[in-house]
Amino acid sequence: MFADYSMGELTAIFAMQGFAGLILFSVFVLMALGLAIIFGQMGVINMAHGEFMILGAYVTYLVSNVFSDYLPFLFSIYFFVAMALAFVVTGALGMFVEWAMIRHLYKRPLDTLLATWGLSLILQQIYRSVFGAREVGVTIPEWMMGSLPLTDMIEVPINGMFVMVLAVGISIAIYVLMFRSTWGKQVRAINQNRIMAGAVGINTEWTDRLTFGIGCGVAGVAGSAFTMIGSTGPTAGQLYIVDTFLVVVFGGAGSLLGTIASAFSISQAQSILEFFLSGSMAKVLTLLTVVGILMLRPQGLFALKLRK
């Protein structure tokens, strides 16, 4: 298999494959960070997470059309406006969903699974009715197009590098929020002992609502980023939900470091296997490996110790 390639060509192939793994890693991180907040910190199994992501993608699609039709001279910066709006819209919807439905289902994880699964079907039908059943795409600004040549044989896509930078930026922002802000301290206090947190004056209901909203907002930003590497359809969110839960559970629910480590290990394993096998077989082998590790270590790679 490798005899037909020179050493330089093999180096270039493996470098490109490694970079593809890094792009997949960035995608997994963007997908999983919002769910790590909702599932890891709140214990809510949000099966509509993919639909919140797709809502962010549709917001980006609408903003792209508005800038293209009415503000063409600002089209190069529309994506940053779209990401901000995607966060606000999906976050606001998430807070409304928490108030209207999720707050009645705490301590009942299976009920949250069924309720959010029903919500995902409702959102899919709304997207289908508003935007149609066909997939839509956005026009990428010119500065995101093309590739950046690293060597004569290795080129990396600029939009892939942007996704990587975005994943790093959001990871840092989530870390600051979780471990350096008052909200983060309140979330971790509630996660450790809800009754005691309420007794010392923390508004647990508002903190829960804000936490769910921020998790959904991060999902919206992830959906906005996905428009650069794929098209958007009413059911596209279902393609991501399994990978998202896999990353969060494998890394350890509630662990930011675990989520990042899990995303990196799964993405690199899948990318390397795809070089030797088909994409579907690589995904199956990766899934089986993760399941095997979880059987030996059910708490995931990194587990938080909670006070009972």
Side-chain angles (χ1 to χ4, degrees), residues 35 38-39 42-53 93-106 108-125 127 212 216 237-238 241 245:
L35 192 64
I38 294 172
F39 179 61
M42 302 178 65
V44 175
I45 304 175
N46 184 17
M47 295 300 293
H49 187 75
E51 278 61 46
F52 281 99
M53 291 162 52
L93 178 61
M95 294 181 72
F96 173 76
V97 169
E98 196 281 338
W99 172 81
M101 182 174 68
I102 301 298
R103 68 190 177 105
H104 304 292
L105 302 175
Y106 288 124
R108 295 153 59 188
L110 291 181
D111 289 347
T112 63
L113 185 152
L114 292 173
T116 55
W117 179 67
L119 175 64
S120 71
L121 298 179
I122 293 172
L123 290 176
Q124 287 177 30
Q125 189 55 48
Y127 299 156
F212 197 86
C216 293
Q238 296 298 309
I241 192 65
F245 270 104

Side-chain angles (χ1 to χ4, degrees), residues 11 19 42-43 59 66 79 95 102 118 137 144 165 172-173 194 197 201 229 238 243 248 254 280 289 294:
T11 302
F19 188 81
M42 302 178 65
V59 169
V66 169
F79 196 78
M95 294 181 72
I102 301 298
M144 286 189 186
V165 172
I172 294 173
R194 175 177 290 272
I229 57 178
Q238 296 298 309
D243 288 332
V248 172
S280 58
T289 303
L294 287 175

Side-chain angles (χ1 to χ4, degrees), residues 35-44 178 187-188 190-191 194 211 253-256 304:
L35 192 64
I37 296 173
I38 294 172
F39 179 61
Q41 300 296 333
M42 302 178 65
V44 175
M178 289 300 302
V187 170
R188 287 181 285 124
I190 293 172
N191 192 29
R194 175 177 290 272
T211 302
S255 173
L256 178 62
L304 296 180

Side-chain angles (χ1 to χ4, degrees), residues 31 40 45 103 147 151 154 212 214 231 235 259 273 293 302:
M31 288 192 301
I45 304 175
R103 68 190 177 105
S147 299
T151 67
I154 301 176
F212 197 86
I214 290 176
S231 55
T235 60
T259 298
L273 287 173
I293 294 175
F302 297 84

Side-chain angles (χ1 to χ4, degrees), residues 9 21 49 72 86 101 110 129 205 208 210 240 249 251 274:
E9 290 174 333
H49 187 75
M101 182 174 68
L110 291 181
S129 300
E205 290 187 3
D208 287 337
L210 186 61
Y240 305 120
V249 173
E274 284 179 355

